[in-house]
Every structure is written in structure tokens, then in C-alpha cells.
Amino acid sequence: MNELSKDAEKLIRILYKEYLERIKKGSSKREAKMIDGSDYIQRILVNKWEKGDIDDICRELDRNEYIQCEYGDGSVGKLILLDNTIVYMESRFRTGFKKVLETIQ
């Protein structure tokens, strides 16, 4: 996996945490990988970040093949967490959900 900016690293951990939470609540893995775009991310996941910054970070993650984005009006409308990212995060956080939470805070 390519090197990422610190913000992109943080966002990918947040998205992975969202994926794990969705599975825990009963979503299929396929459904859990599909996440609404930058509006949702700002409103629900990281409200301290500006929407434009979230779009830029998502573009970085998309270019580096961590996520696949659908764009509309210059913003990320939806994204999909890619399988290679899940594998990367699983190997990085072998101890699971609690370890992911610790690195986000």
C-alpha cells in the first residue's frame, strides 16, 4: 500500500471503524463497504473537518486505491472501501476493533 498523508491515514481508520461497526450491527460485508460521501463523513464521522478537505482526502485515498469514489458536483457522493484496504487494515490491527479505536483518538 502507498504512503498516505496523516489525514488520509486517519480517515481510512475512521472508514474502517465504520465498516466494522456496520458489520457488528448486522450489515453484510458488501453493504458495510458502501459509505455515503463527504456530506455523511463530515456530518457523522469527522465533523471537525471541512467538507472540501474531506473531498481532497477522499481523492487521495481514491488515487492510491484504498477507496473507490463516485463524484457529483465536485464532491464525493459515495465511496466503497476496497477489499485490499480491508486486508491491509486487518493485518495492521490484528487485535481488532479496540485497537482501531485507540489509534483514532
Side-chain angles (χ1 to χ4, degrees), residues 18-92:
E18 177 75 1
Y19 165 79
L20 293 176
E21 286 178 343
R22 289 174 178 205
I23 291 172
K24 189 176 179 180
K25 291 179 182 176
S27 292
S28 70
K29 290 181 179 185
R30 183 171 189 247
E31 291 173 332
K33 289 190 273 186
M34 295 183 232
I35 300 172
D36 286 338
S38 53
D39 287 332
Y40 174 82
I41 293 168
Q42 183 189 38
R43 197 175 67 252
I44 305 298
L45 302 177
V46 283
N47 57 12
K48 295 177 184 176
W49 290 359
E50 295 293 324
K51 185 176 171 238
D53 292 340
I54 293 168
D55 285 324
D56 288 344
I57 295 165
C58 285
R59 283 186 191 91
E60 177 184 347
L61 292 170
D62 192 1
R63 278 191 313 273
N64 287 287
E65 300 179 346
Y66 284 82
I67 62 175
Q68 182 178 1
C69 295
E70 292 180 16
Y71 300 95
D73 297 327
S75 293
V76 176
K78 292 188 183 275
L79 65 88
I80 298 171
L81 200 59
L82 297 176
D83 292 338
N84 60 318
T85 303
I86 294 167
V87 170
Y88 167 72
M89 296 302 284
E90 286 173 346
S91 65
R92 186 167 177 203

